[in-house]
Amino acid sequence: MELTILGSGAAFPTLERGATSQWLQVNNDAYLIDCGEGTQRSILLRKCRTKYLRAIFISHMHGDHIFGLPGLISSMDLMGRERPLKIIGPVGLETYLESSNVLPSRYAVKITELEPDENGCIYQDRSVSVFSQPLVHRIDCHGFRFDENKKPNIRKELVEKYQIPGEKIPNILSGQDWEGKDIVITNSELLYYKVRPVSYGYMTDTKPINTPTIFTGVDTLYHEATFTEEHVLRADETYHSTAQQAAQFAHASSVGTLLLGHLSSRYNTSVGHLNEATLLFPKTFV
């Protein structure tokens, strides 16, 4: 799993930061997360290949997260794309794209709109399972968790030890425990991964969340940090977070690594964000 940040600014792009957009590559499958203005150019600069793009996930309908989407859809049509594309986002996304008059003629686009409180698996293919999480913003907004799909291996020594019938192995591989005559062996004991699957969480444009979420234990979490604590009142007014609040959430959620982004253009440097967050969560990057 490889993440490319295409844009990490807030409402106003700057010379250093474009509008929000990310490219997640898992083997030969790619996923775009949000598509702010200028995303196409960032894709070209970072040599991301749209032929691998399987799905686009839109967090919410603010312009700095969607204004690049019509142009990207149109360009892929002009380039002769034939592979179907799924686009998943909030209610109103389909109307927006239809009114933009960019739905392609050469390839099929399937649009799925999420209900405001939708929480659970919203997409699955050979490479990833994607889950949604309602966030706390001025309009309906969702975060996303991407879990890498990898096939587990069964411990042959335990199959022999407990004389597990061969016809039961597919059930175990799909997640079931083994119930013998006088013993129960849990699925986690029976299965292992040669390479552990990894996970990525994406949280943008949200007030701090203090309840359990789908992001607990993710390997890497991207959390918006529009402001520093100096502007915590402004963060509350605009339904955003500070770097310190993002670090508090990462610590409480036991994530592996924290990425900060969606920085306000008022800051000429990200040093303040980094210093503020690393006091609480050392493994932080901006």
Side-chain angles (χ1 to χ4, degrees):
M1 186 180 285
E2 181 178 282
L3 178 70
T4 300
I5 305 296
L6 301 174
S8 59
F12 297 99
T14 67
L15 293 175
E16 291 75 29
R17 297 180 188 275
T20 299
S21 188
Q22 300 186 359
W23 184 275
L24 189 67
Q25 187 88 24
V26 186
N27 302 315
N28 287 326
D29 295 319
Y31 312 90
L32 186 67
I33 314 170
D34 278 339
C35 190
E37 179 186 357
T39 293
Q40 283 194 78
R41 186 168 184 272
S42 292
I43 286 174
L44 292 171
L45 286 171
R46 289 157 181 80
K47 296 180 172 58
C48 300
R49 303 181 70 180
T50 56
K51 74 174 186 177
Y52 295 128
L53 186 60
R54 289 183 69 109
I56 298 173
F57 299 86
I58 301 297
S59 62
H60 64 297
M61 295 295 291
H62 278 160
D64 56 320
H65 295 258
I66 62 167
F67 280 169
L69 186 56
L72 178 61
I73 292 172
S74 180
S75 290
M76 288 191 293
D77 195 25
L78 291 172
M79 290 187 293
R81 180 188 175 99
E82 296 181 351
R83 184 179 192 176
L85 178 69
K86 293 186 178 181
I87 305 177
I88 300 171
V91 173
L93 179 60
E94 187 167 10
T95 299
Y96 169 70
L97 291 176
E98 287 176 346
S99 64
S100 299
N101 197 30
V102 295
L103 293 179
S105 59
R106 290 183 177 88
Y107 66 97
V109 171
K110 181 180 179 181
I111 301 169
T112 300
E113 295 188 336
L114 303 174
E115 294 299 323
D117 60 349
E118 193 140 356
N119 191 328
C121 188
I122 57 171
Y123 175 86
Q124 193 169 37
D125 64 24
R126 64 186 180 183
S127 293
V128 295
S129 296
V130 184
F131 303 83
S132 68
Q133 170 73 50
L135 303 179
V136 184
H137 196 41
R138 289 174 291 175
I139 62 174
D140 295 338
C141 187
H142 283 82
F144 304 108
R145 173 175 174 146
F146 296 78
D147 285 352
E148 184 181 20
N149 289 334
K150 282 188 175 177
K151 293 181 179 179
N153 300 277
I154 194 162
R155 299 187 186 277
K156 294 181 179 178
E157 68 275 14
L158 295 185
V159 172
E160 295 174 359
K161 178 179 179 179
Y162 297 108
Q163 297 182 335
I164 299 174
E167 64 268 19
K168 298 296 183 180
I169 289 178
N171 295 335
I172 294 170
L173 290 171
S174 67
Q176 293 184 16
D177 297 334
W178 160 245
E179 296 186 21
K181 185 176 180 181
D182 301 308
I183 192 170
V184 175
I185 310 300
T186 64
N187 189 262
S188 59
E189 292 179 83
L190 291 166
L191 301 182
Y192 73 98
Y193 291 92
K194 291 181 180 179
V195 179
R196 185 180 66 84
V198 297
S199 55
Y200 175 63
Y202 176 83
M203 293 180 68
T204 191
D205 289 43
T206 183
K207 276 188 173 185
I209 298 177
N210 300 316
T211 56
T213 69
I214 62 172
F215 302 109
T216 299
V218 294
D219 291 289
T220 300
L221 174 71
Y222 173 90
H223 194 300
E224 74 122 284
T226 310
F227 300 99
T228 60
E229 280 297 301
E230 178 187 3
H231 300 109
V232 65
L233 294 180
R234 181 61 179 161
D236 184 67
E237 290 171 359
T238 57
Y239 286 73
H240 284 293
S241 299
T242 67
Q244 178 176 298
Q245 290 168 338
Q248 289 170 337
F249 180 86
H251 175 75
S253 301
S254 301
V255 309
T257 299
L258 174 64
L259 301 181
L260 302 181
H262 202 266
L263 273 58
S264 168
S265 59
R266 74 183 63 209
Y267 302 102
N268 295 321
T269 174
S270 61
V271 172
H273 291 76
L274 187 62
N275 290 342
E276 193 170 283
T278 52
L279 288 174
L280 295 170
F281 197 85
K283 200 171 182 182
T284 298
F285 301 87
V286 178

